[in-house]
Amino acid sequence: AQSVTQPDIHITVSEGASLELRCNYSYGATPYLFWYVQSPGQGLQLLLKYFSGDTLVQGIKGFEAEFKRSQSSFNLRKPSVHWSDAAEYFCAVGSYGGSQGNLIFGKGTKLSVKP
Amino acid sequence: ETGVTQSPTHLIKTRGQQVTLRCSSQSGHNTVSWYQQALGQGPQFIFQYYREEENGRGNFPPRFSGLQFPNYSSELNVNALELDDSALYLCASSLDGGAQFHGYTFGSGTRLTVV
């Protein structure tokens, strides 16, 4: 079955420091990949998505992600973190439906930002 | 363009009771999916409705049921509530079931607490 692994449950970075959140996927075909962000008590907002072409994709709020097929990874990065980036981040892979649904999510990485 | 709206935002129910959660999809979207997000977990697919028909179901028991109406709004019904049903329930809409390509638009969710 398809799956998504986010190895880091919780990450703390200082404001202004760079950020990288890891995501590994297991999928039999060319994957469609997504990063979502969830602020406390809120739904999920799409940050960026990848489905073909340039392996470095740009998203909203200054985030970018790089698709590496050889490593089955789709890591999220930001050069300089702002306090407002504190939230939970979910990586997801698009699936052709079935019992897992259209999107399969990782368990998330909670980001804390130190002043 | 309106987003996805869910009601109520919070709900407390007693074990054994029944609950109905409501969702209005984003304008122009004809597909609604429901996800359950337990504390500290990523969203888990419950089911999807496309043009008023169930179009995929996750590993949830039959006491989880749904409806989609001609205006593409949707309901999630849960019978015989159990303590483990306590979670954030997320409604997500997409066009023509294409969430695996384009992602979803999520609502802010309904926080259900079963006591």
Side-chain angles (χ1 to χ4, degrees):
Chain A
Q2 300 99 336
S3 65
V4 175
T5 302
Q6 294 180 247
D8 303 305
I9 297 173
H10 190 185
I11 285 182
T12 300
V13 300
S14 297
E15 191 168 14
S18 64
L19 170 70
E20 183 169 26
L21 302 182
R22 296 183 290 163
C23 172
N24 294 98
Y25 66 89
S26 171
Y27 192 73
T30 300
Y32 289 69
L33 294 160
F34 304 83
W35 276 99
Y36 282 85
V37 61
Q38 185 178 36
S39 297
Q42 298 297 309
L44 282 76
Q45 180 183 22
L46 181 65
L47 284 176
L48 47 79
K49 59 186 178 185
Y50 168 81
F51 50 89
S52 67
D54 193 346
T55 57
L56 185 64
V57 294
Q58 302 297 320
I60 62 172
K61 304 184 180 186
F63 285 92
E64 64 179 26
E66 186 172 13
F67 171 61
K68 292 185 178 180
R69 184 187 302 275
S70 61
Q71 298 177 18
S72 297
S73 70
F74 187 56
N75 294 350
L76 182 71
R77 302 195 294 243
K78 188 170 184 178
S80 177
V81 169
H82 188 261
W83 64 267
S84 61
D85 293 325
E88 189 144 23
Y89 292 79
F90 292 92
C91 181
V93 63
S95 169
Y96 285 89
S99 65
Q100 291 183 291
N102 298 103
L103 287 189
I104 301 163
F105 288 87
K107 292 188 175 182
T109 297
K110 183 177 180 180
L111 173 65
S112 297
V113 181
K114 292 189 299 185
Chain B
E1 176 182 280
T2 58
V4 176
T5 58
Q6 292 187 242
S7 63
T9 55
H10 295 83
L11 202 51
I12 299 175
K13 288 287 191 178
T14 302
R15 189 172 48 182
Q17 287 188 314
Q18 178 266 343
V19 68
T20 297
L21 310 182
R22 295 179 174 83
C23 171
S24 293
S25 59
Q26 178 171 309
S27 177
H29 284 182
N30 55 16
T31 305
V32 172
S33 299
W34 286 89
Y35 282 79
Q36 181 195 65
Q37 186 179 15
L39 202 61
Q41 300 294 316
Q44 295 286 315
F45 175 67
I46 302 175
F47 44 57
Q48 181 181 81
Y49 278 82
Y50 172 63
R51 295 186 175 179
E52 303 178 59
E53 297 287 332
E54 188 177 287
N55 183 40
R57 188 178 182 91
N59 294 321
F60 281 81
R63 60 189 184 84
F64 285 77
S65 63
L67 283 173
Q68 187 180 31
F69 300 100
N71 66 354
Y72 304 131
S73 66
S74 177
E75 288 181 355
L76 164 65
N77 299 288
V78 187
N79 294 321
L81 283 166
E82 301 177 358
L83 297 179
D84 284 349
D85 295 333
S86 296
L88 181 68
Y89 287 85
L90 295 165
C91 173
S93 72
S94 59
L95 182 60
D96 293 335
Q100 66 269 42
F101 307 118
H102 305 296
Y104 286 112
T105 300
F106 279 89
S108 296
T110 294
R111 173 71 63 186
L112 172 65
T113 302
V114 183
V115 298

